[in-house]
Amino acid sequence: MKINKWKVFQTIQLLLFIGVSIFLLVRSVDGSGTTNNWNVKLVSFAVWLGFYLFVLALEYGIRFLTVIKKKYKSNF
């Protein structure tokens, strides 16, 4: 059975995202020493989600371009 490196990397990245998300929502004090209320937790989660979606879009864009490049080379 062949293991796809792309799927393994995506699984590890998803587990890392879930772990950091749980950490952001569970902690009571942030790095500056202030106590977190629900609004601050949601803002920090939104920033983390935005960063994750940006990285994910970059990865899928690069993957899309490499697939297109392989198809283009195989036609000639």
Side-chain angles (χ1 to χ4, degrees):
M1 182 167 98
K2 184 178 177 182
I3 298 175
N4 190 355
K5 294 176 187 176
W6 176 260
K7 289 182 182 179
V8 171
F9 179 73
Q10 290 296 317
T11 304
I12 292 170
Q13 187 177 7
L14 179 65
L15 291 174
L16 181 68
F17 171 75
I18 291 171
V20 172
S21 298
I22 291 171
F23 171 72
L24 287 175
L25 294 175
V26 170
R27 67 183 182 164
S28 60
V29 178
D30 67 357
S32 65
T34 60
T35 58
N36 284 340
N37 57 13
W38 188 244
N39 293 334
V40 174
K41 288 180 183 184
L42 286 179
V43 168
S44 63
F45 177 73
V47 170
W48 173 243
L49 180 66
F51 174 72
Y52 178 73
L53 291 177
F54 173 73
V55 169
L56 205 61
L58 250 148
E59 289 176 11
Y60 277 101
I62 291 171
R63 182 166 169 93
F64 176 73
L65 290 175
T66 57
V67 167
I68 293 295
K69 185 178 177 183
K70 285 181 184 178
K71 284 184 181 181
Y72 180 72
K73 278 187 173 182
S74 66
N75 288 338
F76 292 103

